[in-house]
Each structure stands twice: as C-alpha cells, then as structure tokens.
Amino acid sequence: MGSKLAILALCAALAACGTNRADRAISGGAIGAAAGGLGAAVLDGDITSGVLLGGAAGAAAGGLTNAEDLDLGDPVWRRRNY
C-alpha cells in the first residue's frame, strides 16, 4: 500500500491546471486520481477503483471548465524555470 500512496503523491505533485482544454483534462485527471486514491486509502476502500473514478471525474471536470472558471496556473510540463 505504501508504493500506491507514493504514486498518488507523485500524481498530485505533477498536477496543475493549464489554459487549454487538453492540459486542463490531463491535470484534472491527475488531481482527481490522487484524491480518489487517497480517499479510498483513508476509507479502507479499493484504491484502484478510487484512482480510476477520481481520475475520470477530474478529467471530466478539467475538460469541461474554462480557465476563467478555475485557474491554478500553468501545468508543470508548460512551466519554464530558467
């Protein structure tokens, strides 16, 4: 179970919003997967189901919202740290 929680933490750390629909769906899915898996782990549920359901809900929410509705900045893969 420890390795699954580490994967969930990594997903959450890599996630952010974005300005285009694809970035928002990908980052929303990552945030949702992390939240769903963590929630399932805390509630002694099936972590795999939590990750899948949370990821699907997060991807849908990210893909269906606009940057004007919710903006957490650029996703990690679009940031430039020079």
Side-chain angles (χ1 to χ4, degrees), residues 2-82:
S3 62
K4 290 181 182 179
L5 290 176
I7 292 170
L8 295 175
L10 180 62
C11 287
L14 293 176
C17 271
T19 54
N20 65 46
R21 193 168 302 277
D23 283 345
R24 295 178 67 77
I26 292 169
S27 62
I31 293 169
L38 185 61
V42 168
L43 298 173
D44 290 328
D46 181 33
I47 295 177
T48 303
S49 295
V51 167
L52 292 174
L53 292 173
L64 296 174
T65 57
N66 294 322
E68 294 83 27
D69 297 332
L70 177 66
D71 188 9
L72 298 178
D74 289 333
V76 173
W77 57 90
R78 298 262 190 234
R79 293 180 188 167
R80 295 182 186 242
N81 297 325
Y82 296 112

